[in-house]
């Protein structure tokens, strides 16, 4: 997909917003030359996601893309911060349990995390970490394991997600790229 028309006309999907390119990525709240444009872009996406989701309860969605390096984690983290700035209790789940990096972006630990939770090595309360951003929590990707897709598609994942929905207004799941395997499909189905 290279052009907006391919999404709106050919695929029949709405475009919820566009984020300007930011050198080096990072938090758009950290300032920088293009920060004000990016902040407004994430506010627009936040509004459009909330509107598209409706009043059906907590907003829960997965962020993915075709390839590595497309900005999934950048988008997930900054969109979560945009929801938090609106007063929403927000959780980011690093669903890329093979190569997750959101913990670095948000200044917390990778472990314990999602894979530790799903393999029943840690209870839920011990994997949710508060970040330095008010109202934003993170479940890091956790200890690297070879049984990733099986863990993500487990009944434990669905059960924990159901429990998390009671404690958060917004849950953003950052996934690996679509070309990396079945993981993003499993996460989006949840």
């Amino acid at each position: 997909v290279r052009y907006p028309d391919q999404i709106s006309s050919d695929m029949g999907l709405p475009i919820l917003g566009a984020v300007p390119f930011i050198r080096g990525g990072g938090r758009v709240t950290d300032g920088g030359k293009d920060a004000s444009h990016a902040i407004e872009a994430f506010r627009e996406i936040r509004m459009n996601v909330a509107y598209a989701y409706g009043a059906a309860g907590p907003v829960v969605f997965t962020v993915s893309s075709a390839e590595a390096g497309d900005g999934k984690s950048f988008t997930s983290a900054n969109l979560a911060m945009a929801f938090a700035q609106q007063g929403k209790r927000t959780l980011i789940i690093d669903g890329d349990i093979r190569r997750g990096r959101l913990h670095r972006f948000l200044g917390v630990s990778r472990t314990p995390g999602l894979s530790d939770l799903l393999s029943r090595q840690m209870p839920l309360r011990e994997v949710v970490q508060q970040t330095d951003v008010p109202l934003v929590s993170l479940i890091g990707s956790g200890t690297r394991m070879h049984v990733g897709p099986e863990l993500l598609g487990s009944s434990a994942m669905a059960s924990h997600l159901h429990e998390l929905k009671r404690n958060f207004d917004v849950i953003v799941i950052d996934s690996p790229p679509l070309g990396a395997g079945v993981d993003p499909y499993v996460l989006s189905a949840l």
Side-chain angles (χ1 to χ4, degrees), residues 48-59:
N48 288 332
V49 166
Y51 177 76
Y53 203 87
V59 175

Side-chain angles (χ1 to χ4, degrees), residues 56-97:
V59 175
V60 181
F61 59 93
T62 300
V63 175
S64 192
S65 71
E67 297 178 20
D70 285 342
K72 292 171 292 303
S73 297
F74 170 79
T75 300
S76 297
N78 283 292
L79 192 51
M81 287 186 270
F83 274 106
Q85 288 170 347
Q86 196 179 35
K88 306 287 185 189
R89 293 168 302 155
T90 305
L91 174 69
I92 308 172
I93 300 174
D94 193 341
D96 190 347
I97 58 178

Side-chain angles (χ1 to χ4, degrees), residues 97-98 119 145-152:
I97 58 178
R98 297 175 196 176
S119 64
M145 299 180 184
H146 295 291
V147 291
E150 291 79 9
L151 290 174
L152 294 175

Side-chain angles (χ1 to χ4, degrees), residues 14 29 85 135 149:
T29 56
Q85 288 170 347
L135 299 177

Side-chain angles (χ1 to χ4, degrees), residues 34-48:
D34 301 320
S36 63
H37 296 295
I39 289 168
E40 283 305 312
F42 282 111
R43 285 179 181 156
E44 177 184 356
I45 295 169
R46 174 192 68 202
M47 181 186 70
N48 288 332

